[in-house]
Amino acid sequence: MGQARDAADRMTAAVTTSRDLKELAECYRENAVAITPDQGKLSGRESITEYFRQFLDSFTDTQFEHIA
């Protein structure tokens, strides 16, 4: 598989299976930017990881489902 797919799979596993924020953080570069529906633009790995931490704390049974 390609690099993008590998990164997406790692991120999904970090969020849904292991709930490992360190692993999740490694999916992003230090200067990454994410656009979220509720907080807008997040700049930097630390901000993105914190966003996911709050999400996971709020939604403890989070899952991603691939729909073909």
Side-chain angles (χ1 to χ4, degrees):
M1 286 193 185
Q3 288 179 321
R5 183 61 204 210
D6 291 343
D9 288 346
R10 283 179 50 218
M11 189 206 91
T12 299
V15 171
T16 62
T17 305
S18 64
R19 301 178 67 83
D20 184 342
L21 292 176
K22 286 184 180 185
E23 177 67 25
L24 177 68
E26 291 177 12
C27 294
Y28 295 93
R29 291 184 181 255
E30 284 291 331
N31 63 347
V33 174
I35 307 299
T36 67
D38 57 339
Q39 293 188 17
K41 182 178 176 181
L42 301 174
S43 297
R45 177 188 292 161
E46 190 173 312
S47 294
I48 296 167
T49 304
E50 175 60 16
Y51 176 82
F52 273 101
R53 186 199 60 76
Q54 291 176 20
F55 185 87
L56 291 173
D57 286 351
S58 299
F59 302 98
T60 57
D61 61 348
T62 299
Q63 296 180 30
F64 287 108
E65 186 174 317
H66 175 73
I67 299 173

